[in-house]
Every structure is written in C-alpha cells, then in structure tokens.
Amino acid sequence: MPDSAAPPTDTELRALAARLSTDDKLRLITGEDVWSLPALPHIGLRKITMSDGPVGVRGVTFDEGDPSVLVPNPSAQAAAWDPEVPRRAGELLGAQARAKNVDVLLAPTVNLHRTPLGGRHFECYSEDPLLTARSGAAFVAGVQAQGVAATVKHFVANDSEDGRMEYDVRADERTLREAYLVPFLAAVRDARAWLVMSAYNGVNGHTMTENAPLQTTVLKDEWGFDGVVVSDWMAVRSTEAAYLGGTDIAMPGPAELWGEPLRAALRDGRVDEAVLDDKVVRILRLAARVGALGDTAPATPSDVLADAGERIRDIARRGLVLLANRGALPLDTGKLRRVALIGPNAVRLSAQGGGSAHASPQYVVDVAQGLRDALGPDIELTVRDGIYTHRRLPGLTRGNSVNPVTDGPGLRLEFFDADGTVLGTEDRVGSHVILWPGMFPPGTAKAVLHTRILPAVDGDSLLEILGSGDLRLTVDGTGLPLEAVPGNDNPMEALLRPPLQRLPLAARAGVPVDVELAFVADGELVLASFGIGLGDPRPDDETELGEAIADAAAADVAIVVVGTTDDIESEGYDRKDLALPGRSDELVARVLAANPNTVVVVNAGSPVRMPWRDAAAAVLWAWLPGQEGGNAIADVLTGAAEPGGRLPTTFPADEADVPILATTPVDGRHTYDEGPTIGYRLWAARGAKPAYPFGHGLGYTTWEYRDLRIEGDATAGLTVTADVANTGSRPGREIVQVYLEPASGELLGRTEPLRLVGYAPATAAPGEAATVRIPVDADTLARWDADASGWRVVPGTYRIAVAHSAGDVRLTGTVEL
C-alpha cells in the first residue's frame, strides 16, 4: 500500500481489487452481519463498522450501557440558520464514532419536510431545499473531518413512513432536480460525502435500490460521486436489478438475494463482473478514507468530546425559536419570588425522537433541573406533571434497580436453548431489551430478564411490561398472568414501540422486589423487543391537574412544558394528526386561565396545533434538544442567552390549512403534483395563512432594515446588501433572509412564488447597525429546463425580497437577469 500520508490512487485501488477472488468480492458487497463489512486480511482490510444515527452514535446495539453524546434533532440544528451549527454537531458525532470504533455514521437525513405528519420529520432539516442542503452538507463536513464517513440518506423522495417499503413516488424531473435532489447534490459536490443510502421507496416506477437512472446516471456519472451507495436495511429485494441499479452494498449482510444468486448470475453471464469490480473499488476507497485499509490513516479527530456538554448546550439554544412574546421573556428574575413549573415534559424531557435515530444519552438535563440551577435558591420553584401523557412509564435505572446476581446497577439477561440449557448471560443497564440476529447465541429459544426493583416510596406502584408474543412474568417467585398480545406486522414499530400492559405493584420504600420477565420464542429466536417499566405511586389525573392549577395561580409566573414523545415522533409510522397528546391543550388553557402570565414551552420535533397560542404570555419552541436541553431552555427563559432560532418549516394553525397532509399512499403511489413548490412556497401559491411562517422567530431586541443594494448578473451571480439596525435595548442577532420571485409570478410554465436564495446573520449592539452582504450564486438562480434537460437562468425581471421571514418582507427591489 502507498504511504499513509497519501490516499491510494484509483489505479492502486483497482490493482488491489484484482487480487481478490470473486467470492471475496461477493462477501464484501453483502456485509458480514447487521452492522459491518468483513475483514479481508490478505489485502490489509479490517472490518468496517457502521452505526446509526443523526443525533447520537448508538453503536451496534440498543443498549443503554453503550451511551453517546446526544445533540439536538436536525430540525433544531437547521433552525439556527447557520451551517456552523450542524457542522459542530457533526464534529461531535464524528468524534464519538471514533471513540466507539465506528467507521461509518448513518447520517444525515436530508429528505424534505413535505408534510408535517411525516414520522421522521424531526430527523430532517427543513422544508426548503437550500436550507436543507447547506445544513446537511455542513454536518457531513463535520463528521468526515473526524475521519468517519457520513452517509447521506435516504436517496430519494423518502418523505413519509406509512408503506415506505412499497410506495412509488411519481415526480417529474424538474420537481426532483429543484427540490428533492438539491440536498444530495450539495452533500456530494460541496462536502464530498463518502456514502449515500438508497431509500426503501421507488421513484417513477423503479425501486430505489434498482434505480439506475438516479443512482448511476445522475449520482455517479453526472455528479461524479466516487463513494459507496449502501442500501437501507433490507431494502434490496432483487438480485440482478439491484446489482445493476447502482447499489454497491446490500445491508444487512450476508444478503441472501446477492450471495449465491449473484455468483450464479456472474457464472451464467447475466451480469458483468466489471460492475462488481467498480463496487469493490468504491468500498476499498471508503476503507482507505476511514483508515481501514493497510497503512492508510483517517483524519485526526479534534478533541471536542472533552467539553461536549457545553458545545451541545450552545447548539440547543442557537436553535430554540421564540414564537411569541408579550413581554414575559426574558424572565425578570429580580422580581420573582415563586415560579410554577408544570407539564408532563417538564421532568420527562423528550430529548430525541424514536426509531433508528434513537441513541442512549450519557445523561439528560430536564427543564426542572435546568431551571432550578438558573433561578438559584432564592426563588421558589414548584414542579407538577399536571397531566400524564407519556405512553410508557420510565424504564428502570441505576436509581431504582440492581442486578440480582451482583447487587450492582442494572439487569441480568440470560439466554436458554429449548432444553433449558444456559447459552449465555450479559449484564445490562437499561430495561428495554431489543434483540436481532447476532445479538444472542445461536439456538436461543428463550431470553430472561432479571432485576431487583428498589421502590423509593410506599404505595401502589405500576409495573409495566413491554412486548408481544409469549411473555412470562414472575414477581418475588410468583408467576403473574399476562395477556397474550399478538405481534405487529411492522417490524420497526414492533421493535421500538412494543405493546404494553400494566399491573399494580404494592411497594414499600427500600424493600426490594425481584422481577423476572421471560420472552419465549416460537422456535429459535429471531427478533425480540421486551422490557420492564416502573411508575411510582401518583395522584389520579384530576387531583394532579387541580394541584397544578393551584400552583399556577399562586405563582408570579407559570411555565408549562408540553410536547410529544419518542413513540409519537418516530421512524416506522407517520403521525395521524397535529394534536398534542392527551389533555395537553386543556392543561395549557386552564393554567392560562389561572395565571395569564404563563410561558408555554413546546418540546416537540415537528409542528403541532397550538390553539392557545394567542393567549399565552410567550411561546418558546424547544424542539427535541438533546442531553443539555433543560439547561439551554433555562438559559433562554432567563435571558442568559438569546433565542437564536428561526423556523425551518411552516407551522400550521390546523390540519385543514396544510397544503399537503396525507401520508398514506393511494394505489401504492405518492404523486408529487405540486411540483418543486413545496413548504412555504405552496402555502403562498394557495393563499393559505399559517400560524407561524417559515423563517419566523423572535429575539430579545428589535430590528430595522434599511438601504437595499443589488449587484451582479445571471452569469456571476448576485450580491444582495442591506443595513440592519438594532432598535431595541439588548444586543442581538438577526437572520437576514433573501427571497426571489419572477415579476410575472410564473417560470417555465409553473407558478413560481418567492423562494429562499440566501441568508446571513447580523449582530449589533443597541443603537448600532450592521451591513449584511448575502451572495446568491448563479447555480441558485438557475432552474431546471426539462425541454433542454439542463439548468439555466431564465431571462426576465425578478423581485428581490429581504425579509425577517417568508411572511414578513422588509425591503424589496428588482433585478434583470
């Protein structure tokens, strides 16, 4: 191999591939197991390990004993409107991946917010192609600077979850080019991403793993992508079509449809081995980039994990969006004597969403803890749930369980064969067990979870059992009956959102209770998801709500924290509506009636209905803010930090207003008839008014826009310049947004509303002004001309709008292109 300071050339990679047998090559492109590619020691190739995900590096198991830093969700990162923020998030996760010996991070997700009900809406950046492109490319750059490969997913038009394995997206070429492909192009061209993941769905009649027109012609040939196309897990559903369709690796491996069937296809001449050689060279190039090939060495990671908490805290507060403020924020702590903190998410903060993006954090700072630290001991803080909205009870932790074998923290998991012979044991920290092939000994027929619960208080606790199939529960040596719950046809939902049932558990503080939960497979175990949760004794709903209202009425200010959970927003299924769970809206309304000086914090990754928004003294959108969420929220509430976020997606008032809502395919298809005009542009085209427009967000000061200047042309691009003056009493940071539309309102036969073409921050002290120069390159000005099969700037008169948001234009001008 060449010197480690110089990456191997294509000639050297091809020579190395030529040393491999056909069997070696076929092993390499189908993976070794769920998360890795095999080692080939005779050419100096070690195993390459992959891991989810976009907010934390989960590793190869869903095990709380293998924690990761947990950053805010991608929509929160995009809300900063600053590529530096997702770059920092990527840098943290890249460094965490290196610390876990992970070579490939399966992130970022750059699909667009086509509908607010999309199950993975929270995992994507924005409804706007440009904002998504800049955010995603920056994240890729941050990850890969640490010597870890980023994987841009899901290529392409994978914008909803219901039926995602089967549906076919019908979209014309202009729609794909101007909207859905834009973030992938930026990641490949600007950030030089090392992997792209092909999606489950089809596009225009071709399943994406078989979609040679997009994966080969566009991605590899036209864009010059020299990396690897890896399938989404179990997305390869054919042999020759996927092999010839641009997919380089079928995961998980070994993939049955590729091993022996491909060997036969090669032997019979139905497929060309040159295609296999190209795949292998790409994989070897990836191996060299991550330091898995011979004496090649990856980039030296930066030392960012040492102060990861403060970095994550800053990322979180940069994304928090102040939706409304009627003088309540920032809190005047010098005048406060009593604060009532109320809400189901005040203590059980939703730090992340569900699905493959879910990781086990090192810790999570909730709002109660963050606010206690920020307010100090002189201000009384009362904390109430108010209502109960979480579907699941908290899992067992080091605080309320011990391993019955060692008296140490956690749980003991044992594996048995059909004859009752112990095949293996492992100690676990978390009480939700998820198992798939490779995570248990071969021949396992039963898995048994043992723990000793240590109740903290006297009274009737709730014992929660998660899972379906043949589950058997024993408490203090006595078997207790469980309902027989059938399995779920959706494997992701079955694993991550298993059915649950609850039983009363009479408990005394400090008196241990031994609990054993067995999962018995029907034959040999293949997949399993089961676990135990525990709820302390608690008041009934009406009592808890009444006490919360009383606290609110007696306080100087009430802060209500409501939101979603990681089994509401998750991979595997879409949301059915925009409602907050349970009695959340009732709670907010009743607290507002008791104390008009109420601040509402919404802890959610995707838009929700907020029917009380006009009555609240302030509304702060907190996203799914990662492990430092409580501290970041407290920083913004108390004014220690500016709420830096602006909405990366349009927030509707009601489902009836949303231009695209349905996520269920019709006759197996999603038809993108709206073309590239999605998000705020489609709202404008249809004359609909949202609750909060794209780009909206308030700070703690006010701004005046002055003196618009426009320079440039269609060839060189434009420079848009404006002066922005801070007219308030605090230093602040404004995001200056530039939009463009043809004066005629149409372009290339379609209605063409305002679209974002650039943005930049402005910072200024009170009474000072900043000059902001925003470049708009010629590529951004161009549109896809289907007749010419290429990009061009359409000549004509255009309107330039400099704006605080898509719904708040401050300056306008015209330009001839």
Side-chain angles (χ1 to χ4, degrees):
M1 290 300 299
D3 186 272
S4 61
T9 65
D10 286 354
T11 299
E12 291 168 328
L13 291 173
R14 285 194 293 270
L16 198 60
R19 292 170 49 191
L20 297 176
S21 68
T22 299
D23 284 349
D24 285 337
K25 296 173 187 177
L26 290 175
R27 283 182 58 214
L28 199 56
I29 68 168
T30 61
E32 182 175 56
D33 52 33
V34 176
W35 297 113
S36 68
L37 301 183
L40 298 177
H42 57 288
I43 62 165
L45 177 67
R46 67 163 172 80
K47 182 169 74 171
I48 296 174
T49 301
M50 306 180 186
S51 170
D52 291 311
V55 295
V57 185
R58 194 183 64 240
V60 298
T61 65
F62 278 93
D63 186 356
E64 291 91 337
D66 186 20
S68 169
V69 295
L70 185 70
V71 301
N73 70 297
S75 300
Q77 298 171 33
W81 288 62
D82 181 354
E84 182 66 10
V85 169
R87 188 197 67 78
R88 290 175 185 167
E91 187 178 53
L92 281 164
L93 297 189
Q96 180 71 88
R98 287 288 297 275
K100 288 191 170 194
N101 295 316
V102 166
D103 304 295
V104 175
L105 186 68
L106 302 174
T109 305
V110 298
N111 300 113
L112 299 183
H113 293 168
R114 183 172 180 262
T115 166
L117 296 184
R120 298 179 88 164
H121 188 288
F122 71 93
E123 195 181 321
C124 307
Y125 291 101
S126 172
E127 67 187 16
D128 181 77
L130 179 66
L131 183 56
T132 299
R134 292 185 178 179
S135 301
F139 182 90
V140 168
V143 172
Q144 294 187 171
Q146 311 307 301
V148 172
T151 308
V152 190
K153 61 185 189 181
H154 306 87
F155 192 72
V156 62
N158 183 220
D159 307 305
S160 57
E161 290 295 285
D162 290 348
R164 63 179 179 165
M165 299 288 285
E166 294 85 24
Y167 69 70
D168 186 56
V169 169
R170 296 302 170 101
D172 62 32
E173 189 169 13
R174 183 179 171 193
T175 297
L176 292 172
R177 294 280 188 168
E178 292 187 7
Y180 300 94
L181 288 172
V182 170
F184 291 95
L185 173 59
V188 168
R189 181 190 60 191
D190 301 336
R192 307 299 299 173
W194 296 342
L195 289 96
V196 168
M197 180 185 288
S198 57
Y200 289 122
N201 58 281
V203 173
N204 295 329
H206 299 280
T207 298
M208 276 310 306
T209 54
E210 304 170 6
N211 203 316
L214 287 171
Q215 293 197 146
T216 301
T217 305
V218 174
L219 176 62
K220 293 181 176 179
D221 297 342
E222 181 184 327
W223 295 355
F225 176 61
D226 66 355
V228 172
V229 175
V230 60
S231 76
D232 205 338
W233 269 230
M234 297 179 286
V236 167
R237 283 157 279 177
S238 65
T239 299
E240 295 169 31
Y243 175 87
L244 298 172
T247 301
D248 299 314
I249 300 173
M251 291 296 288
E256 293 181 1
L257 289 171
W258 270 27
E260 186 56 40
L262 271 181
R263 186 177 289 104
L266 287 165
R267 184 178 59 244
D268 297 343
R270 299 194 304 273
V271 296
D272 191 342
E273 190 158 357
V275 177
L276 178 59
D277 291 337
D278 178 71
K279 299 179 192 302
V280 170
V281 167
R282 289 173 181 272
I283 294 168
L284 295 178
R285 184 181 295 119
L286 167 66
R289 285 168 167 168
V290 300
L293 184 63
D295 56 3
T296 58
T300 301
S302 52
D303 186 21
V304 295
L305 295 179
D307 60 347
E310 186 52 45
R311 289 171 182 267
I312 295 169
R313 184 172 181 166
D314 184 62
I315 291 170
R317 58 194 178 201
R318 291 282 299 275
L320 298 184
V321 183
L322 185 57
L323 295 176
N325 189 18
R326 296 168 181 88
L329 295 180
L331 298 173
D332 189 347
T333 55
K335 296 181 180 179
L336 293 179
R337 292 174 294 106
R338 186 175 186 186
V339 175
L341 179 62
I342 298 165
N345 291 54
V347 174
R348 287 190 69 185
L349 181 76
S350 290
Q352 60 181 317
S356 62
H358 199 280
S360 298
Q362 299 167 332
Y363 61 86
V364 172
V365 179
D366 59 43
V367 181
Q369 179 182 340
L371 206 53
R372 281 193 189 99
D373 293 343
L375 294 177
D378 296 333
I379 299 174
E380 181 183 359
L381 179 69
T382 62
V383 182
R384 298 275 186 191
D385 286 297
I387 56 172
Y388 307 112
T389 59
H390 290 82
R391 174 179 174 267
R392 285 166 50 176
L393 297 175
L396 299 175
T397 67
R398 295 171 186 238
N400 60 14
S401 72
V402 296
N403 187 314
V405 178
T406 64
D407 284 336
L411 307 96
R412 169 63 59 93
L413 184 64
E414 292 184 303
F415 302 100
F416 299 85
D417 66 13
D419 297 325
T421 302
V422 177
L423 300 178
T425 64
E426 64 180 59
D427 292 331
R428 299 179 67 91
V429 174
S431 59
H432 183 191
V433 177
I434 297 176
L435 301 171
W436 52 65
M439 294 179 65
F440 45 83
T444 297
K446 180 172 70 172
V448 182
L449 184 64
H450 307 267
T451 190
R452 178 170 292 147
I453 294 173
L454 299 177
V457 294
D458 292 340
D460 287 335
S461 298
L462 284 174
L463 187 64
E464 182 172 86
I465 304 303
L466 290 77
S468 58
D470 188 355
L471 295 173
R472 301 175 188 179
L473 174 66
T474 303
V475 176
D476 281 340
T478 301
L480 298 181
L482 293 174
E483 294 182 16
V485 181
N488 192 315
D489 292 337
N490 182 330
M492 183 59 69
E493 187 168 1
L495 288 175
L496 300 177
R497 197 172 188 262
L500 58 86
Q501 47 190 304
R502 292 176 180 167
L503 300 86
L505 179 68
R508 291 173 56 197
V511 178
V513 180
D514 285 325
V515 178
E516 177 182 295
L517 180 64
F519 177 92
V520 182
D522 182 12
E524 187 172 347
L525 189 150
V526 178
L527 295 171
S529 176
F530 61 99
I532 303 168
L534 180 69
D536 289 335
R538 64 187 189 185
D540 60 62
D541 287 10
E542 288 304 321
T543 300
E544 176 66 19
L545 181 56
E547 292 175 346
I549 301 305
D551 279 356
D556 299 311
V557 61
I559 300 169
V560 184
V561 188
V562 291
T564 58
T565 66
D566 61 6
D567 59 17
I568 292 174
E569 298 189 70
S570 175
E571 177 186 0
Y573 44 89
D574 294 313
R575 291 193 294 163
K576 302 310 175 190
D577 55 42
L578 297 176
L580 284 166
R583 301 171 69 180
S584 298
D585 290 330
E586 178 190 351
L587 172 67
V588 175
R590 291 181 63 176
V591 171
L592 283 167
N595 188 339
N597 192 29
T598 293
V599 175
V600 184
V601 178
V602 185
N603 172 205
S606 310
V608 298
R609 287 199 307 263
M610 294 175 277
W612 32 258
R613 66 186 184 280
D614 292 334
V619 181
L620 180 68
W621 190 269
W623 302 107
L624 307 173
Q627 68 188 53
E628 285 284 335
N631 282 332
I633 292 167
D635 287 342
V636 167
L637 291 175
T638 59
E642 183 90 357
R646 304 294 184 266
L647 290 180
T649 199
T650 304
F651 274 34
D654 190 82
E655 286 91 340
D657 304 326
V658 180
I660 301 174
L661 190 66
T663 60
T664 302
V666 177
D667 297 328
R669 297 180 181 177
H670 282 297
T671 303
Y672 288 20
D673 287 336
E674 71 280 0
T677 305
I678 68 166
Y680 63 96
R681 304 181 70 226
L682 190 57
W683 281 81
R686 297 187 179 176
K689 183 175 176 58
Y692 300 106
F694 174 80
H696 171 74
L698 306 175
Y700 288 149
T701 190
T702 54
W703 299 91
E704 182 179 300
Y705 288 51
R706 307 167 181 162
D707 194 15
L708 171 62
R709 289 94 76 192
I710 306 169
E711 300 172 303
D713 56 35
T715 301
L718 303 176
T719 300
V720 178
T721 306
D723 297 330
V724 183
N726 183 343
T727 56
S729 59
R730 287 175 54 114
R733 183 175 185 271
E734 174 75 329
I735 303 297
V736 181
Q737 304 163 34
V738 176
Y739 296 84
L740 176 81
E741 68 177 346
S744 66
E746 290 192 1
L747 201 69
L748 296 173
R750 285 186 185 269
T751 299
E752 182 80 358
L754 280 172
R755 66 182 175 95
L756 184 72
V757 293
Y759 54 92
T763 56
E768 294 183 350
T771 298
V772 182
R773 294 179 177 84
I774 302 174
V776 182
D777 61 46
D779 287 348
T780 303
L781 295 172
R783 310 307 275 160
W784 184 261
D785 188 335
D787 292 335
S789 294
W791 294 97
R792 71 183 180 100
V793 178
V794 180
T797 303
Y798 289 81
R799 175 178 172 244
I800 295 283
V802 178
H804 171 75
S805 74
D808 185 0
V809 173
R810 303 290 179 88
L811 300 171
T812 61
T814 59
V815 64
E816 294 290 329
L817 295 177

